[in-house]
Amino acid sequence: MSTSSSSSASTSTDPLAKKKAAASAAVVALFKMIDQLQSNPRSDITSLDVVARGQELAQWQANITSNHYKGYSGRGHSQIVGPVASATRDPLTYDVRACLDVSKFQLLEKSGKPVPIPSGAPRRVAYTYGVTQDAKTLKWYVTTEKATGTC
């Protein structure tokens, strides 16, 4: 009996695998939205509530608002590398471990010059993201993040 075809077929219909994939996709969607909001200083940061809630929503709204106030805009994109989701005790919450790679994203001053990056600041940081599924809408939201090192 071939295990490769039967295991891939069961993974695509496995509810746990689907939830893990959706939790990982929520992290990717968050950073896609962050990049879009950073790129346009006139953007509406309230649109972040489509992908984030709680601590994560408040922190990124504050970060982006601060950058917009300083006249900064963004260019490029961040990348979520190798996300791995795992279930927690709460059936609606998953932890997603991933590497956030910002090496292809730059904040720019009004003049178009890149905002200086502190010496030694890593461009690839490992995080664990808390991702929660809303029980009513079944949408996924990133709620927390914790840096765990470099990657």
Side-chain angles (χ1 to χ4, degrees):
M1 174 180 195
S2 171
T3 57
S4 62
S5 62
S6 61
S7 66
S8 64
S10 64
T11 302
S12 63
T13 59
D14 176 18
L16 182 59
K18 286 183 178 182
K19 286 187 174 202
K20 287 179 179 182
S24 294
V27 176
V28 172
L30 171 67
F31 283 93
K32 183 176 180 181
M33 175 71 73
I34 289 168
D35 289 348
Q36 289 172 353
L37 293 171
Q38 296 268 54
S39 295
N40 180 0
R42 292 185 181 91
S43 60
D44 179 6
I45 63 162
T46 62
S47 59
L48 258 179
D49 65 6
V50 172
V51 292
R53 286 192 175 164
Q55 171 189 333
E56 193 73 355
L57 175 63
Q59 184 60 54
W60 278 107
Q61 284 180 328
N63 292 352
I64 294 167
T65 298
S66 174
N67 287 339
H68 286 179
Y69 180 78
K70 293 172 188 174
Y72 296 167
S73 63
R75 176 177 62 204
H77 65 278
S78 305
Q79 186 175 4
I80 297 296
V81 180
V84 175
S86 57
T88 66
R89 291 181 189 201
D90 179 347
L92 295 176
T93 302
Y94 285 74
D95 286 335
V96 177
R97 291 182 322 277
C99 178
L100 173 61
D101 182 347
V102 295
S103 62
K104 294 182 180 160
F105 180 84
Q106 275 189 318
L107 277 179
L108 305 172
E109 297 176 354
K110 281 184 182 179
S111 65
K113 286 182 171 179
V115 173
I117 298 169
S119 178
R123 304 293 283 159
R124 291 173 53 99
V125 178
Y127 283 93
T128 298
Y129 299 95
V131 182
T132 302
Q133 184 179 36
D134 183 287
K136 291 181 183 178
T137 65
L138 303 180
K139 286 192 57 146
W140 292 85
Y141 300 90
V142 181
T143 56
T144 61
E145 70 177 35
K146 181 181 179 184
T148 59
T150 57
C151 46

